[in-house]
Amino acid sequence: GLELSVNNHAADFSLSTTLGPPVSLSCLVQNSSQAEELLWYRGDGQVDLKDGNKVNVSNICVSPVTESDNGVTFTCKLARDKSVQVSVLLDVQFPPQLSGEESLRTEEEKDVTMSCNAKSNPQAQTAWYKNNNSLTLEQNRYQLYQTSEVFQLSIIKVQKSDNGTYTCVVKSPLGEGRKDFHLIVEDKKPVFPMEAIIAAVVVVTVTVLFGIVARRDKIFKVW
């Protein structure tokens, strides 16, 4: 009949919380006739406990709660039989944290990528705007890439008409974040073909050599 409970839960459970305020977890031995030592783990790592916080009842506090605590499992175990345990999964909810602006310069016919990095829980939805209007995604011109934390918009072979301000808007039930990208498309710089340059150098070099050979008699006479 020996068992453990964490915050009055005798089985594994999930605990929803928000950023900032501390979370207290209390592990209690149930139906024990003797003193039992308890252990706490954060993920796979054991938590250091003070001597007066190990026997029959043990408390830990997560303070302050941060984004890095989301999805972390805390487990209380019986020291002499680690199969007796109760785990709690922290579900830390927070809105997207995204702001600021960025300026991008590129030449015509080059590709450009705008990237928004935003964590949130629950996961957010994203939308792209150009000059405060919904962006129409033309096939073969725009590419979207999205994960739970990264939202990217790529424009293939930009044109002068792509000049403008692009806005990444990330929304979740807890709030929204946004970031502006000021895209400036410059004239394409002329590119000198390397083959033509090499050919011209070769022609000039050969011409000079032929000239030297043709005048070698006069050159030798001078010397």
Side-chain angles (χ1 to χ4, degrees):
L2 179 64
E3 64 179 14
L4 304 180
S5 68
V6 173
N7 290 15
N8 298 320
H9 292 266
D12 296 349
F13 67 103
S14 177
L15 178 61
S16 293
T17 186
T18 57
L19 294 178
V23 167
S24 296
L25 301 175
S26 179
C27 183
L28 179 66
V29 177
Q30 307 276 5
N31 305 324
S32 175
S33 59
Q34 64 184 45
E36 297 285 358
E37 183 182 353
L38 297 172
L39 306 174
W40 272 105
Y41 290 82
R42 175 191 169 100
D44 295 328
Q46 188 171 345
V47 178
D48 290 331
L49 300 173
K50 293 182 179 180
D51 289 339
N53 189 29
K54 295 180 178 181
V55 180
N56 288 346
V57 60
S58 181
N59 301 288
I60 62 172
C61 183
V62 183
S63 179
V65 174
T66 67
E67 294 176 10
S68 63
D69 296 315
N70 184 48
V72 173
T73 299
F74 290 85
T75 304
C76 179
K77 298 183 180 183
L78 198 65
R80 66 179 177 87
D81 183 358
K82 294 184 176 62
S83 65
V84 180
Q85 62 180 43
V86 176
S87 295
V88 52
L89 175 69
L90 287 192
D91 177 27
V92 183
Q93 301 197 347
F94 54 94
Q97 299 177 5
L98 178 69
S99 62
E101 56 184 338
E102 185 177 335
S103 293
L104 300 172
R105 287 181 177 271
T106 188
E107 296 179 20
E108 285 182 285
E109 298 186 12
K110 286 191 175 181
D111 299 344
V112 66
T113 296
M114 291 163 273
S115 183
C116 290
N117 299 318
K119 294 181 180 180
S120 66
N121 182 34
Q123 188 172 341
Q125 300 295 319
T126 184
W128 286 92
Y129 294 83
K130 180 183 179 184
N131 299 329
N132 294 322
N133 296 314
S134 294
L135 181 62
T136 302
L137 299 177
E138 302 173 30
Q139 192 173 8
N140 301 325
R141 282 262 296 135
Y142 298 97
Q143 292 181 353
L144 292 178
Y145 172 78
Q146 180 172 332
T147 68
S148 61
E149 299 179 10
V150 179
F151 310 97
Q152 289 182 343
L153 170 68
S154 296
I155 305 177
I156 310 303
K157 294 185 177 180
V158 296
Q159 306 167 2
K160 278 298 188 68
S161 59
D162 292 319
N163 272 308
T165 297
Y166 294 78
T167 304
C168 170
V169 179
V170 183
K171 293 183 179 180
S172 83
L174 300 180
E176 74 171 50
R178 55 198 301 133
K179 181 178 180 179
D180 290 331
F181 297 86
H182 305 294
L183 178 61
I184 301 171
V185 182
E186 300 174 338
D187 292 333
K188 185 178 181 181
K189 295 178 182 177
V191 178
F192 297 101
M194 186 57 66
E195 294 83 356
I197 295 174
I198 295 173
V201 171
V202 171
V203 170
V204 171
T205 303
V206 171
T207 302
V208 171
L209 289 175
F210 273 123
I212 293 174
V213 171
R215 301 184 61 187
R216 67 181 183 281
D217 293 339
K218 291 184 179 180
I219 293 174
F220 290 147
K221 287 178 181 179
V222 171
W223 287 96

